[in-house]
């Protein structure tokens, strides 16, 4: 049953809850608030989601799916190309869904209070996949000699903080596009990792780079 | 009136509230919970803090003071040295007070609900100082020719996300010390920014580097 703006009622409900959770926190939002804003009675809300925590879990699953969609290691790509592609895909997703990303991160410290053990385990498993992707790419670059030796564990955590943390300020309508920001982040990190001086200066994002960065790639 | 472990009652109360807020969220913690854990009656708690939001504000002011203590640009230092020193000081502070940092970041999206306008303004002002410090150091390096051209605004936001975001996993008892992690982060970023090939390879953290990083500085 699509509503006026073409979203199904359930999708509309989810979008409203995501906005409210992002602004007030999960704990600070009641099912009544969601029902009020979406213009449904509470019984109808409970028809779609039997509990508030199931809404949060749906938000979590979708955010995790979007993040995992960014995680795809193509062995044909060099480590630097693969890291750059991951960054582009991830920031694109965050720019398109900043509120979903915000709810994910803001509620993360408390999910054991709201989710079942199985749900928490599923969440953690997906987070591990993201960490292992970035960690694995840095290790691949070290092993092949493409990158300097470094603590790939610490740098993976740092780079994930840098990229996923962009949900705090990255907006679709911002001064710079998600792709431009991805190029800035990747260029800085990869110039720091790449050993080969020519590659480092001329093509830190790999030969398959589709976009240019603002005039500093060719310096 | 120092209690058994030498902390004043007020400090003890603040430490307990910080732990509870970090674990359950500000919204999910009642003054009764704080009073219970610290072993005081509620009237005594209110003697020290007239409201729950004043506890949160105290946590905020202390966390901001610690972060600002890391922000000190010494014009005698090169931009790379100053960025590295900032990172060391910041990660030291986070490792020493992970729960204070957690409360700060976890509650950040909602502070307009709990704080007065003046309090919010003071918080924002201090955050701007941190951003401007990092932004200014990158700009200083670009202007002097020490660093490549880059979008210093985007990189400052990214680097702040990388360093401050470490509160999620940085612990005093971790496998790597805060100084080692600061050296990893700074080395990766600075190797990415520094133009001069010899400096980049041999002393990315500057001549005043006090500590070595795990064997990859000299490669």
């Amino acid at each position: 049953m699509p509503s006026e703006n073409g979203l199904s009622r359930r999708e509309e409900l989810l979008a409203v809850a995501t906005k409210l959770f992002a602004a007030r926190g999960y704990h600070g939002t009641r099912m009544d608030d969601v029902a009020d804003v979406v213009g449904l009675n509470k019984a109808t809300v409970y028809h779609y989601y039997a509990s508030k925590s199931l809404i949060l879990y749906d938000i979590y699953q979708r955010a995790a799916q979007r993040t995992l969609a960014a995680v795809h290691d193509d062995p044909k790509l060099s480590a630097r190309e693969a890291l750059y592609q991951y960054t582009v895909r991830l920031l694109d997703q965050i720019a398109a869904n900043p509120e979903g990303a915000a709810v994910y991160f803001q509620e993360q410290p408390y999910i054991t209070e709201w989710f079942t053990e199985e749900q928490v385990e599923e969440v953690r498993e997906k987070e591990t996949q993201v960490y292992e992707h970035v960690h694995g790419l840095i290790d691949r670059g070290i092993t092949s000699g493409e990158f300097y030796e470094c603590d790939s564990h610490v740098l993976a955590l740092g780079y994930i903080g840098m990229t996923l943390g962009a949900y705090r300020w990255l907006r679709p309508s911002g001064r710079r596009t998600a792709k431009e920001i991805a190029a800035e982040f990747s260029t800085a990190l990869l110039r720091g990792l790449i050993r080969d001086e020519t590659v480092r200066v001329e093509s830190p994002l790999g030969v398959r780079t589709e976009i240019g960065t603002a005039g500093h790639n060719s310096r």
Side-chain angles (χ1 to χ4, degrees), chain A:
Chain A
M1 178 179 16
S3 63
E4 281 166 26
N5 56 14
L7 292 177
S8 75
R9 277 273 179 248
R10 190 191 164 94
E11 290 298 315
E12 202 184 345
L13 204 161
L14 193 71
V16 163
T18 304
K19 259 188 218 307
L20 289 173
F21 291 173
R24 306 180 190 172
Y26 174 79
H27 206 292
T29 309
R30 296 163 312 143
M31 282 296 243
D32 282 326
D33 304 325
V34 178
D36 281 355
V37 175
V38 80
L40 294 170
N41 65 49
K42 219 164 134 182
T44 312
V45 170
Y46 279 110
H47 164 74
Y48 290 110
Y49 289 100
S51 72
K52 194 172 74 159
S53 75
L54 284 174
I55 304 183
L56 185 65
Y57 192 60
D58 204 354
I59 295 171
Y60 254 70
Q61 288 198 296
R62 289 168 189 232
Q65 268 163 23
R66 289 193 296 267
T67 305
L68 283 181
V71 165
H72 164 69
D73 188 11
D74 180 345
K76 288 198 302 294
L77 298 181
S78 61
R80 65 184 180 281
E81 285 172 298
L83 261 171
Y84 171 56
Q85 295 303 334
Y86 152 79
T87 311
V88 170
R89 288 192 297 256
L90 186 74
L91 294 190
D92 264 343
Q93 292 292 354
I94 292 173
N97 304 277
E99 281 158 340
V103 172
Y104 190 102
F105 287 106
Q106 290 168 198
E107 300 303 332
Q108 208 175 26
Y110 322 117
I111 58 168
T112 53
E113 283 190 54
W114 323 122
F115 291 162
T116 66
E117 262 181 53
E118 288 73 29
Q119 288 173 326
V120 170
E121 208 173 302
E122 217 186 300
V123 168
R124 302 274 188 246
E125 209 171 278
K126 286 171 184 166
E127 288 171 0
T128 303
Q129 283 180 53
V130 176
Y131 161 76
E132 284 181 350
H133 177 65
V134 177
H135 188 202
L137 286 179
I138 298 176
D139 274 345
R140 175 145 86 76
I142 296 172
T143 304
S144 71
E146 189 181 348
F147 294 162
Y148 284 101
E149 294 278 338
C150 59
D151 187 328
S152 52
H153 166 66
V154 166
L155 279 191
L157 290 173
Y159 196 59
I160 290 169
M162 188 170 184
T163 50
L164 282 177
Y167 80 87
R168 290 177 183 272
W169 48 269
L170 184 61
R171 293 297 170 266
S173 55
R175 183 173 68 87
R176 305 286 303 265
T177 66
K179 273 208 170 50
E180 286 170 337
I181 291 163
E184 286 289 334
F185 283 180
S186 303
T187 302
L189 180 79
L190 290 170
R191 274 215 184 110
L193 291 180
I194 294 167
R195 283 171 180 270
D196 186 283
E197 178 63 8
T198 310
V199 170
R200 199 180 78 79
V201 173
E202 290 176 9
S203 57
L205 304 180
V207 288
R208 285 159 211 249
T209 307
E210 290 149 27
I211 61 160
T213 56
H216 57 274
N217 244 351
S218 52
R219 298 291 285 258

